[in-house]
Amino acid sequence: MLLQEININSENEEMLFSSNTSIRGYGTAIYSKEPVSRITQIQSPYAEFGGFIFKKTIIATTAGVQYVSFHGYNGQPFKDVSKLVAHIDAVLSVISPTGPVIFAGDFNTWSVEHFEAIKTPLESAGFSHSYSWPYPGRETPLDHVFLRGVELKDSAYFSNESDHLGAVLELSVQGGPPIT
């Protein structure tokens, strides 16, 4: 399970085998019923909001699948797409070049230009855009799923405590059993 913008103060911390939270208590995490290994944190190469906030991404492997819980560079106040792409590139530089990967989360794609810009390096690394879900009050989704060696079987989204909607995906490794 990939988690975004979680508040560690309201979550069961023992559940979160791989997590990173900011000084304000919010962050990304990966949870699995299976053992989690090769846990890596990648920080956006650029700070935002006056140089104080670096978006963070957690990468971990469980049951032979690499998971990327991505919280992309937001670019406030200017929403600079090149810095968002640099964040994608930083993550791509450390994930496995082969094998099944689920790369999902809040990409902060504020425009079609942003989405197309992030899609290019991900597709070059063998990923396919598989799902996006709405962000309340916006026409352009911020949240996306890119898959490599994994198939999307079903999807849905739901309301929760975050400003983003949550998503539930049924996936399977290509040629393998469903991922639960």
Side-chain angles (χ1 to χ4, degrees):
M1 176 185 321
L2 304 178
L3 305 167
Q4 289 288 313
E5 296 187 16
I6 60 166
N7 180 341
I8 215 63
N9 299 320
S10 68
E11 306 294 337
N12 179 349
E13 196 166 357
E14 289 82 41
M15 283 181 36
L16 307 175
F17 299 121
S18 167
S19 67
N20 173 72
T21 56
S22 72
I23 195 163
R24 290 180 169 51
Y26 293 91
T28 59
I30 296 173
Y31 168 76
S32 176
K33 295 182 227 176
E34 302 294 325
V36 176
S37 64
R38 295 184 285 202
I39 301 164
T40 305
Q41 175 193 311
I42 300 298
Q43 182 172 284
S44 171
Y46 297 95
E48 53 190 56
F49 294 107
F52 296 108
I53 296 174
F54 288 87
K55 298 294 185 177
K56 296 168 188 76
T57 297
I58 295 292
I59 303 166
T61 300
T62 183
V65 177
Q66 196 167 39
Y67 291 80
V68 178
S69 185
F70 186 76
H71 192 191
Y73 176 81
N74 199 341
Q76 296 294 349
F78 304 111
K79 296 183 174 65
D80 185 336
V81 70
S82 68
K83 292 179 179 179
L84 175 59
V85 172
H87 190 182
I88 297 281
D89 289 340
V91 173
L92 289 173
S93 74
V94 299
I95 64 171
S96 175
T98 60
V101 182
I102 300 166
F103 196 132
D106 176 3
F107 284 76
N108 283 312
T109 48
W110 292 99
S111 67
V112 173
E113 175 195 12
H114 277 79
F115 178 74
E116 292 301 322
I118 60 122
K119 196 166 88 165
T120 299
L122 285 160
E123 287 179 344
S124 293
F127 287 89
S128 297
H129 175 247
S130 300
Y131 185 62
S132 297
W133 59 102
Y135 181 85
R138 294 191 48 80
E139 288 185 33
T140 306
L142 302 178
D143 306 298
H144 310 282
V145 176
F146 288 84
L147 303 173
R148 184 180 72 201
V150 177
E151 295 177 56
L152 176 65
K153 300 292 186 184
D154 197 11
S155 59
Y157 58 88
F158 60 93
S159 295
N160 59 67
E161 296 295 322
S162 173
D163 59 324
H164 293 255
L165 299 173
V168 176
L169 309 174
E170 181 182 345
L171 305 164
S172 68
V173 175
Q174 291 175 346
I179 298 171
T180 56

